[in-house]
């Protein structure tokens, strides 16, 4: 049977519960603008009924505030994380692509490609009418040098952007490690509180904010499981296992967290010819295994950084291993057969049979049409006999496949245009060539003697009439001296060294800078020429008269002939130099590439921003604090509090009558 004063206890429970609800509502209202705060609610239950041994059996004992918990929905959290990764991916990519677009944009008409390119050919037209005028010649060489400097500067800007992205990758890795550590610490604090019977709502909010931030950098998923009592599986301990995964790999495992580290690539681990030195790879600190950001599903900022920094549009070299040696691998059926399209670094990495090898140089051979038939890589490590056999017929990949038109792609496109253009230009300027016994081009007319020089195929020229015919087709400068290459490549180590490329070589070995003497490197393929090092020959820069406008057969004192200039002018737009078009279409092709990607990023950024707004609204409908709703709750709980107070007042009158006014 209940106590005489039992009603007071019931009313007091209602009073206390209403007070807790009012306090929680006040806390919600106070945090209405707090980032990451989730609305809290008081969970109430009816107190256990009391048996009173009467016909009705039991009587109610009031209300209990069971817990104060936050309102969250994991479904909306996961939708938010997935969309945040996609949004971060396209936002970051759009940011970088707009910079690349600005580099190629001709907003400044004085320094744009079209202006400089047209100016050079206009100067060439003037030169055609006055081939002996030194002022006109100087004007032409100046515009030609301006063209090479345009590409030098553009390549440097892309290098700087690649370096900037590289630094941002390190910053992103530091942020991931910092958030992982904080999440692990919060997991422990949450479990300590909740094992004691409480609910760590504010700490859970802090953890959720960290996961939200993490989702913009990488793909994120999180799981939480309750910890059971090992002696009683049906009994919960109050603690939970909380795990966070990035790109499918575990980052946080409750109280423990893994860390990432950045490791600079060695010189023989570059993936593209144009890559700057020291690009970072990400590895797990615990075991050194590589963390690959690019295969992730939705993306994240980290994936965008790697795609723009390393994107080569899957145009790196592939082939099949057909021969091996103790320290060599030879591939045939290469996917790149044009020497001018070669984009692999002089020294880099190879992937064969799921194993990485590094090489310090390579050589190639061509067929009669100049197409590459096989490439031999000279490795830094030795191969066992068994390993040599296992590699035969295996597919080889040079560098890494990144299916995006990023910085390496645009560098390679500039290199391809310049190699085709400079090769065609130099070929017209120089004309035919003869070579000494060492294969070096003879540039002094007095050294060209019968039975002492060779043609491009290596055959000795033993017929004077044939030799005279060849000499007459060779370009000569203002003084009648044989023309050397006008466009050259500066050496990577010593800028004073100029490399004279040759178009007729059927095989060549590409050495790393500084590995061999200058004489051995004097004549190499156009692979050596890039946007970074292209220039005009110092001789032509110092002396405008060193430029050839005619051939030896048409030369008269003062160079009044200019038929070579007529051939050179066709390079402006008539001769096919780049993607099936003339040189003047270069910028159109490149700008089309970059603008399409930039517009795509812009469209997807807007789409995912709109989706983010919708998801956030759905998320906030569950966990957000609504001022109007809280105001209604405040009035409701206040009314309940007042009614509970009224109950206590009624019971006070009852007890007053019972105690003071009843009895004898």
């Amino acid at each position: 049977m209940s106590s005489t004063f039992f009603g007071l206890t019931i009313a007091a429970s209602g009073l206390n519960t209403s007070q807790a609800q009012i306090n929680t509502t006040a806390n919600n209202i106070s945090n209405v603008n707090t980032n990451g705060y989730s609305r809290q609610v008081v969970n109430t239950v009816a107190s256990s009924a009391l048996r009173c041994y009467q016909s009705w059996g039991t009587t109610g004992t009031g209300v209990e505030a069971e817990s104060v918990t936050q309102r969250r929905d994991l479904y909306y959290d996961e939708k938010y994380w997935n969309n945040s990764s996609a949004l971060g991916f396209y936002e970051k990519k759009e940011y970088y692509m707009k910079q690349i677009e600005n580099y190629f944009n001709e907003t400044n008409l004085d320094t744009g490609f079209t202006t400089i390119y047209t100016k050079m050919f206009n100067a060439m037209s003037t030169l055609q009418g006055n081939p002996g005028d030194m002022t006109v010649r100087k004007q032409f060489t100046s515009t030609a040098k301006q063209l090479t400097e345009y590409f030098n500067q553009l390549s440097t800007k892309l290098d700087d952007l690649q370096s900037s992205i590289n630094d941002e990758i390190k910053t992103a890795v530091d942020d991931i490690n910092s958030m992982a550590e904080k999440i692990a610490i919060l997991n422990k604090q949450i479990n300590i509180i909740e094992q004691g019977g409480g609910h760590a709502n504010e700490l859970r909010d802090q953890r959720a904010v960290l996961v939200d931030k993490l989702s913009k950098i990488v793909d994120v998923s999180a799981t939480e499981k309750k910890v059971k009592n090992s002696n009683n599986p049906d009994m919960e301990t109050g603690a939970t296992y909380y795990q966070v995964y990035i790109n499918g790999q575990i980052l946080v495992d409750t109280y423990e967290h893994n860390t990432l580290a950045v490791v600079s690539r060695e010189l023989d681990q570059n993936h593209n010819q144009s890559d700057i030195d020291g690009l970072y790879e990400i590895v797990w600190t615990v075991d050194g295994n590589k963390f690959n950001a690019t295969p992730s599903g939705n993306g994240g900022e980290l994936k965008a950084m790697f795609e723009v920094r390393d994107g080569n549009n899957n145009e790196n070299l592939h082939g099949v291993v057909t021969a091996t040696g103790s320290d060599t691998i030879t591939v045939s059926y290469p996917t790149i057969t044009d020497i001018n399209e070669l984009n692999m670094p002089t020294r880099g990495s190879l992937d064969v049979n799921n194993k990485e090898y590094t090489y310090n140089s390579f050589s190639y051979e061509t067929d009669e049409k100049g197409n590459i038939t096989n490439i031999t890589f000279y490795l830094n490590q030795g191969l066992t006999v068994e390993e040599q056999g296992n590699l035969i017929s295996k597919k080889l990949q040079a560098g890494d496949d990144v299916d995006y038109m990023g910085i390496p792609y645009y560098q390679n496109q500039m290199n391809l245009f310049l190699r085709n253009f400079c090769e065609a230009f130099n070929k017209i300027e120089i004309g035919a060539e003869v070579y000494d016994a060492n294969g070096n081009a003879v540039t002094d007319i007095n050294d060209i003697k019968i039975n002492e020089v060779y043609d491009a195929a290596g055959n000795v020229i033993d017929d004077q009439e044939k030799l005279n015919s060849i000499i007459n087709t060779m370009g000569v400068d203002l003084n009648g001296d044989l023309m050397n290459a006008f466009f050259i490549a500066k050496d990577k180590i010593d800028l004073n060294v100029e490399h004279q490329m040759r178009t007729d070589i059927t095989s060549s070995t590409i050495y790393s800078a500084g590995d061999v003497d200058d004489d051995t490197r004097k004549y190499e393929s156009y692979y050596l020429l890039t946007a970074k090092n292209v220039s005009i020959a110092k001789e032509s820069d110092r002396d405008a008269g060193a430029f050839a406008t005619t051939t030896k057969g048409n030369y008269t004192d003062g160079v009044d002939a200019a038929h070579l200039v007529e051939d050179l002018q066709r390079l402006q737009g008539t001769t096919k130099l780049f993607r099936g078009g003339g040189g003047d279409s270069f910028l159109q092709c490149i700008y089309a590439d970059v603008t399409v990607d930039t517009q795509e990023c812009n469209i997807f950024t807007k789409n995912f921003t709109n989706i983010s707004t919708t998801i956030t609204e759905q998320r906030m409908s569950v966990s957000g604090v609504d001022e109007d709703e809280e105001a209604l709750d405040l009035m409701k709980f206040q009314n309940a509090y007042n009614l509970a107070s009224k109950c206590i007042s009624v019971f006070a009158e009852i007890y007053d009558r019972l105690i003071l006014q009843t009895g004898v």
Side-chain angles (χ1 to χ4, degrees):
M1 181 175 179
S2 59
S3 167
T4 302
F5 300 98
F6 188 54
L8 187 63
T9 303
I10 295 175
S13 71
L15 191 70
N16 291 332
T17 299
S18 297
Q19 181 69 58
Q21 290 172 324
I22 291 172
N23 291 340
T24 302
T25 302
N27 186 47
N28 288 338
I29 294 173
S30 299
N31 288 281
V32 66
N33 294 318
T34 301
N35 181 42
Y37 179 81
S38 300
R39 180 172 179 261
Q40 297 180 8
V41 295
V42 178
N43 302 306
T44 60
V45 294
S47 300
S48 300
L50 183 66
R51 293 185 63 184
C52 57
Y53 302 100
Q54 298 295 333
S55 59
W56 59 81
T58 60
T59 185
T61 60
V63 65
E64 288 182 2
E66 187 180 45
S67 61
V68 179
T69 58
Q70 58 181 181
R71 295 288 299 275
R72 293 195 75 92
D73 191 322
L74 182 59
Y75 171 73
Y76 288 127
D77 284 343
E78 290 179 344
K79 285 183 66 177
Y80 179 87
W81 296 337
N82 292 337
N83 186 77
S84 179
S85 293
L87 178 58
F89 174 71
Y90 284 106
E91 276 184 338
K92 183 63 73 172
K93 188 179 283 187
E94 181 187 19
Y95 171 74
Y96 293 134
M97 293 309 298
K98 281 185 176 179
Q99 293 187 56
I100 297 176
E101 185 180 32
N102 287 335
Y103 294 158
F104 287 100
N105 192 1
E106 291 195 305
T107 52
N108 188 338
L109 297 180
D110 293 332
T111 58
F113 169 79
T114 303
T115 302
I116 298 173
Y117 193 70
T118 303
K119 187 188 297 183
M120 185 184 76
F121 280 96
N122 288 342
M124 189 183 295
S125 297
T126 306
L127 178 63
Q128 183 177 356
N130 300 279
D133 191 324
M134 289 297 294
T135 302
V136 173
R137 283 173 165 269
K138 186 61 180 177
Q139 182 180 5
F140 167 74
T141 56
S142 296
T143 56
K145 187 174 183 181
Q146 188 178 358
L147 180 67
T148 63
E149 289 174 345
Y150 164 81
F151 281 99
N152 296 158
Q153 293 171 5
L154 191 54
S155 180
T156 300
K157 288 179 180 178
L158 291 175
D159 281 350
D160 292 341
L161 181 59
Q162 192 175 44
S163 177
S164 176
I165 296 174
N166 200 47
D167 293 338
E168 283 199 62
I169 289 174
K170 185 179 187 306
T171 301
V173 168
D174 292 339
D175 289 342
I176 292 172
N177 290 337
S178 176
M179 286 185 274
E181 182 181 9
K182 291 177 181 178
I183 291 172
I185 293 173
L186 286 170
N187 287 341
K188 188 171 186 178
Q189 293 174 340
I190 290 169
N191 278 347
I192 290 174
I193 292 173
E194 297 187 348
Q195 279 179 300
H199 288 272
N201 297 320
E202 285 74 18
L203 295 179
R204 283 180 171 273
D205 283 341
Q206 292 179 33
R207 184 174 67 185
V209 169
L210 289 172
V211 178
D212 287 351
K213 291 180 179 178
L214 193 61
S215 68
K216 198 164 188 178
I217 302 175
V218 286
D219 272 348
V220 168
S221 61
T223 61
E224 185 173 18
K225 297 179 181 178
K226 294 181 178 180
V227 179
K228 304 290 186 178
N229 189 323
S230 58
N231 297 321
N232 184 2
D234 295 329
M235 177 181 177
E236 296 177 356
T237 63
T240 60
Y241 294 118
Y242 190 84
Q243 296 174 316
V244 178
Y245 295 84
I246 58 173
N247 291 6
Q249 297 175 281
I250 191 163
L251 178 69
V252 179
D253 187 3
T254 313
Y255 304 153
E256 304 295 330
H257 70 282
N258 294 319
T259 58
L260 297 170
V262 292
V263 178
S264 296
R265 291 178 188 166
E266 299 293 336
L267 291 177
D268 52 8
Q269 291 179 326
N270 284 338
H271 295 162
N272 304 285
Q273 184 183 11
S274 60
D275 285 343
I276 63 173
D277 295 335
L279 292 181
Y280 292 133
E281 297 288 359
I282 303 178
V283 298
W284 290 101
T285 306
V286 63
D287 54 17
N289 288 336
K290 184 178 179 180
F291 174 82
N292 197 341
T294 52
S296 62
N298 294 311
E301 293 179 343
L302 198 60
K303 179 180 179 181
M305 294 178 198
F306 272 99
E307 285 198 354
V308 178
R309 192 196 73 172
D310 297 340
N312 53 24
N313 200 34
N314 279 353
E315 293 180 357
N316 53 321
L317 180 80
H318 294 75
V320 178
V321 178
T322 53
T324 56
S326 59
D327 59 354
T328 60
I329 294 178
T330 300
V331 295
S332 300
Y333 317 109
T335 54
I336 300 176
T337 58
D338 186 347
I339 298 172
N340 290 351
E341 292 182 9
L342 278 181
N343 54 19
M344 57 190 178
T346 306
R347 53 194 302 173
S349 62
L350 306 171
D351 189 298
V352 193
N353 205 21
N354 294 322
K355 184 175 180 180
E356 183 181 54
Y357 299 89
T358 60
Y359 63 92
N360 53 58
S361 57
F362 66 89
S363 62
Y364 64 83
E365 294 181 355
T366 64
D367 58 20
E368 64 279 0
K369 295 182 180 180
N371 295 321
I372 298 175
T373 56
N374 60 72
I375 301 175
T376 299
F377 296 94
Y378 301 94
L379 306 179
N380 292 315
Q381 57 271 74
L383 301 176
T384 63
V385 175
E386 181 181 4
E387 197 172 13
Q388 293 177 41
N390 291 336
L391 293 178
I392 298 296
S393 299
K394 295 295 189 299
K395 293 182 179 180
L396 176 145
Q397 172 183 301
D400 194 15
D401 280 322
V402 181
D403 189 15
Y404 187 73
M405 290 186 289
I407 292 173
Y409 170 79
Y410 292 106
Q411 293 272 29
N412 292 336
Q413 291 298 297
M414 290 194 297
N415 294 345
L416 175 60
F417 166 75
L418 284 170
R419 289 166 183 170
N420 289 343
F421 176 77
C422 294
E423 179 180 358
F425 194 101
N426 288 343
K427 193 171 184 179
I428 294 173
E429 275 286 280
I430 298 173
E433 284 187 328
V434 293
Y435 307 94
D436 60 21
N438 297 319
N440 296 325
V442 179
T443 57
D444 189 338
I445 190 69
N446 297 317
D447 293 335
I448 302 179
K449 300 175 182 177
I450 190 171
N451 293 321
E452 294 184 7
V453 292
Y454 304 80
D455 59 20
N459 301 316
V460 63
I461 303 176
D462 55 4
D463 184 275
Q464 186 64 50
E465 185 176 348
K466 179 181 179 182
L467 181 61
N468 292 338
S469 176
I470 293 175
I471 293 174
N472 286 336
T473 62
M474 301 174 73
V476 292
D477 60 20
L478 197 62
N479 299 315
D481 296 326
L482 294 182
M483 179 66 188
N484 214 332
F486 181 73
F487 288 106
I488 53 88
K490 290 184 178 180
D491 189 76
K492 183 178 180 181
I493 303 300
D494 187 354
L495 297 180
N496 292 317
V497 175
E498 296 181 350
H499 296 283
Q500 303 280 338
M501 285 67 63
R502 278 176 51 180
T503 62
D504 53 17
I505 50 180
T506 57
S507 64
S508 178
T509 300
I510 309 299
Y511 297 96
S512 302
D515 287 350
V516 294
D517 58 67
D518 294 336
D519 289 337
T520 307
R521 295 171 53 87
K522 189 174 182 181
Y523 294 96
E524 297 186 274
S525 75
Y526 274 85
Y527 162 86
L528 192 66
L529 186 144
T530 67
K532 295 180 185 180
N533 64 16
V534 65
S535 184
I536 65 173
K538 286 184 293 185
E539 181 183 5
S540 298
D541 191 19
R542 289 193 302 261
D543 180 11
F547 179 74
T549 61
T550 188
T551 59
K552 185 66 176 175
N554 292 318
Y555 173 77
T556 56
D557 196 27
V559 194
D560 54 359
H563 66 282
L564 289 183
V565 180
E566 297 178 20
D567 296 336
L568 291 172
Q569 284 182 317
R570 287 195 289 270
L571 299 179
Q572 182 174 8
T574 305
T575 305
K576 293 182 178 181
L577 295 174
F578 186 73
R579 297 189 188 178
D584 54 358
S585 65
F586 161 76
L587 188 63
Q588 297 174 7
C589 296
I590 294 296
Y591 204 65
D593 290 338
V594 68
T595 51
V596 167
D597 281 346
T598 304
Q599 290 173 3
E600 178 187 2
C601 293
N602 180 264
I603 291 171
F604 278 106
T605 297
K606 290 179 179 178
N607 290 343
F608 284 112
T609 299
N610 294 334
I611 295 172
S612 177
T613 301
T614 303
I615 294 175
T616 300
E617 289 175 353
Q618 295 172 335
R619 200 184 192 198
M620 293 300 290
S621 69
V622 175
S623 61
V625 177
D626 184 273
E627 294 173 324
D628 295 335
E629 185 179 354
E630 296 302 322
L632 290 174
D633 283 347
L634 193 61
M635 294 174 62
K636 180 175 66 176
F637 297 143
Q638 181 187 18
N639 188 48
Y641 184 89
N642 291 337
L643 289 174
S645 299
K646 185 63 177 176
C647 287
I648 292 176
S649 177
V650 169
F651 281 119
E653 292 182 13
I654 293 174
Y655 297 145
D656 179 67
R657 178 62 60 89
L658 176 66
I659 296 172
L660 299 179
Q661 300 181 32
T662 303
V664 180

